[in-house]
Amino acid sequence: MCRKTVCELFAGVGGFRLGLEHASKDWKTVWFSQWEPGKKNQWAHDCYVKHFGDIDANTGIDISLVDKNQIPSHNLLVGGFPCQDYSVAHSLNGEKGIEGKKGVLWWQIRDTLLAKKTPFVLLENVDRLLKSPSKQRGRDFGIILACFAQLGYSVEWRVVNAADYGAAQRRRRTFIFAYSNTTNYAKPLMKREAKQIIESDGFFAKAFPISSVEAVSETQFDFSDLQKISDNFAFAFENSGFMSEGKISTAKITPKTENPIPLKNLVESNVAENFYLTESLEKFKYLKGAKKIERTAKTGFKYTFSEGPVAFPDSLDLPARTMLTSEATVNRSTHVIADPATNRLRLITPLEAERIQGFDDNWTDTGMPQKFRYFCMGNALVVPMIERMGKVLNRIFDEE
């Protein structure tokens, strides 16, 4: 059995770690990194440490300042990294090679893989990653795939709506599973048809079964020059796919859905008075309603801005909508529910936010201000989705 050692980058409050440990107690996190730029108080890092303990003085600093060679060796690298501009430029000092934009966290993942040669990688990003940027669709994900190809990895990906697989939130995220071509897992897959990997044999097919897959589109790319990929690459990525040795195979899949958890199974009754809407009620009605507004662009062009209504209040018979970091502020995306006991309209509580993401009750009740409890949950993973993938990883690691 391959020892299950993990490095968790951009760890937040520990969603990856919690999900993996729910899947098996054999997972051992040997290092993690969590740092929020521009914040005096590192609430997420402190929350992580309260639950799991600290490792060294570098877990709570800017990851770009960490010598990647000093990170302990590990078999699985995990992380939820932001969707940013991944374009590259020639290095300024005139040497051959490229430099990613400063502050773009993908390059910290790449640098870690260069230093540690991690055999398995599991990453999370927003669903729009596959189509960004708007002027060169697919370029950013193409750069990521090129980096993996250059380092000798094959890659599977899937866009997963957590509610399709029994969770309490309609949250769509792109998951990326990469593995060294030298692993026992990779060798047989590299000989199989892409449709077979996407449909039944691959990592995501086992974690998130599908009911159908459309025709697979396949294209061979030269991924040897990142600068050319950055300048010219564009591709119509579907919600599922596989890349090995520069050959991209992608297809639109339909999930084999499971019944989600409705909000009524999670919410409390008779919560504290400060969660009920009073002065903000009329503002919420306006924000969540349909509207058409005449606007004038900087060029003087007049146009009509329009948007449809959002459910108000949110139905307790459905899973939650996607939770954002702005949850509980006065805006269109904030959840508003009718309290089951009083029927009065109110915000969800921090504990309910944790349940929607699949965390243990009061996970973020560690001394951080209430607004940061919502912020941390808006940034977090849906823990049961990690647990599902963790169970598949258990079998993969047992065969290494």
Side-chain angles (χ1 to χ4, degrees):
M1 181 176 68
C2 183
R3 189 160 175 250
K4 300 181 175 77
T5 52
V6 187
C7 172
E8 185 176 11
L9 301 183
F10 327 118
V13 294
F16 263 115
R17 184 166 180 173
L18 185 62
L20 288 172
E21 292 186 358
H22 282 177
S24 171
K25 296 301 181 185
D26 293 335
W27 291 103
K28 177 179 174 58
T29 298
V30 296
W31 198 73
F32 75 94
S33 175
Q34 170 53 37
W35 178 72
E36 197 71 40
K39 302 292 185 183
K40 180 179 179 181
N41 294 303
Q42 295 292 321
W43 298 113
H45 177 271
D46 294 347
C47 178
Y48 188 108
V49 169
K50 183 166 184 178
H51 288 288
F52 299 116
D54 210 346
I55 294 174
D56 61 34
N58 292 327
T59 63
I61 68 171
D62 184 347
I63 183 65
S64 69
L65 303 178
V66 175
D67 180 356
K68 308 303 186 292
N69 293 296
Q70 298 304 310
I71 294 175
S73 295
H74 50 275
N75 294 326
L76 176 66
L77 176 70
V78 301
F81 64 113
C83 184
Q84 297 170 292
D85 181 353
Y86 302 118
S87 60
V88 301
H90 290 293
S91 55
L92 297 178
N93 59 10
E95 296 177 358
K96 291 183 179 180
I98 53 87
E99 288 184 354
K101 288 190 176 181
K102 186 176 181 181
V104 174
L105 299 180
W106 161 251
W107 303 110
Q108 302 305 317
I109 296 173
R110 178 175 174 266
D111 288 349
T112 303
L113 297 177
L114 278 167
K116 306 308 298 184
K117 308 295 189 291
T118 312
F120 293 95
V121 186
L122 180 58
L123 305 172
E124 180 254 16
N125 206 297
V126 295
D127 59 341
R128 72 174 180 274
L129 169 67
L130 300 180
K131 299 184 184 301
S132 70
S134 59
K135 294 182 179 179
Q136 195 180 338
R137 294 287 190 183
R139 181 204 69 192
D140 289 345
F141 192 51
I143 289 173
I144 290 172
L145 291 182
C147 290
F148 275 124
Q150 290 179 1
L151 295 173
Y153 290 82
S154 292
V155 182
E156 299 175 43
W157 72 88
R158 172 79 72 83
V159 177
V160 176
N161 184 338
D164 285 341
Y165 293 97
Q169 186 179 180
R170 290 165 278 173
R171 191 179 187 90
R172 289 167 52 87
R173 288 294 184 267
T174 299
F175 288 100
I176 302 165
F177 182 53
Y179 36 90
S180 169
N181 293 331
T182 63
T183 59
N184 291 341
Y185 178 76
K187 291 172 184 176
L189 285 182
M190 293 174 69
K191 299 176 183 178
R192 292 178 191 163
E193 294 294 325
K195 186 175 186 294
Q196 191 177 357
I197 295 170
I198 294 170
E199 192 169 33
S200 59
D201 294 359
F203 175 77
F204 292 114
K206 289 180 168 61
F208 305 108
I210 64 176
S211 61
S212 67
V213 56
E214 295 183 4
V216 178
S217 170
E218 297 187 334
T219 309
Q220 183 72 44
F221 289 96
D222 178 3
F223 278 151
S224 62
D225 189 331
L226 276 183
Q227 186 66 63
K228 287 183 179 179
I229 296 296
S230 180
D231 293 342
N232 304 314
F233 183 90
F235 189 76
F237 290 105
E238 297 289 358
N239 62 0
S240 186
F242 173 67
M243 185 283 296
S244 186
E245 297 181 323
K247 184 179 181 180
I248 293 177
S249 306
T250 188
K252 185 176 182 179
I253 62 91
T254 301
K256 184 179 289 184
T257 58
E258 303 168 16
N259 291 329
I261 299 172
L263 275 171
K264 64 185 177 184
N265 289 18
L266 305 179
V267 299
E268 305 172 276
S269 297
N270 282 314
V271 301
E273 186 64 26
N274 62 294
F275 293 106
Y276 291 95
L277 303 186
T278 53
E279 296 89 354
S280 61
L281 179 57
E282 292 304 315
K283 181 68 171 176
F284 269 114
K285 287 181 180 178
Y286 169 75
L287 289 171
K288 290 178 176 287
K291 55 186 73 71
K292 291 186 177 182
I293 305 169
E294 293 296 326
R295 290 183 175 174
T296 303
K298 292 180 179 179
T299 60
F301 174 75
K302 293 184 181 299
Y303 66 99
T304 301
F305 169 79
S306 62
E307 59 186 6
V310 176
F312 184 74
D314 287 275
S315 173
L316 295 182
D317 293 323
L318 296 174
R321 292 173 291 100
T322 301
M323 192 186 310
L324 305 180
T325 55
S326 57
E327 183 65 44
T329 63
V330 182
N331 69 69
R332 184 175 163 87
S333 64
T334 285
H335 290 80
V336 174
I337 64 171
D339 188 275
T342 66
N343 208 39
R344 292 169 61 198
L345 297 184
R346 66 170 177 85
L347 305 173
I348 61 172
T349 66
L351 183 145
E352 290 166 341
E354 292 163 344
R355 291 176 177 175
I356 288 169
Q357 290 284 41
F359 282 79
D360 300 346
D361 282 2
N362 295 310
W363 187 263
T364 57
D365 189 12
T366 56
M368 73 175 76
Q370 182 171 284
K371 69 176 183 178
F372 282 103
R373 295 185 67 183
Y374 289 115
F375 180 87
C376 287
M377 284 299 100
N379 259 344
L381 299 144
V382 180
V383 174
M385 300 300 100
I386 306 304
E387 182 178 354
R388 290 179 73 115
M389 290 183 280
K391 291 176 179 178
V392 179
L393 285 169
N394 289 338
R395 299 196 294 270
I396 291 172
F397 272 55
D398 287 346
E399 295 174 1
E400 285 298 313

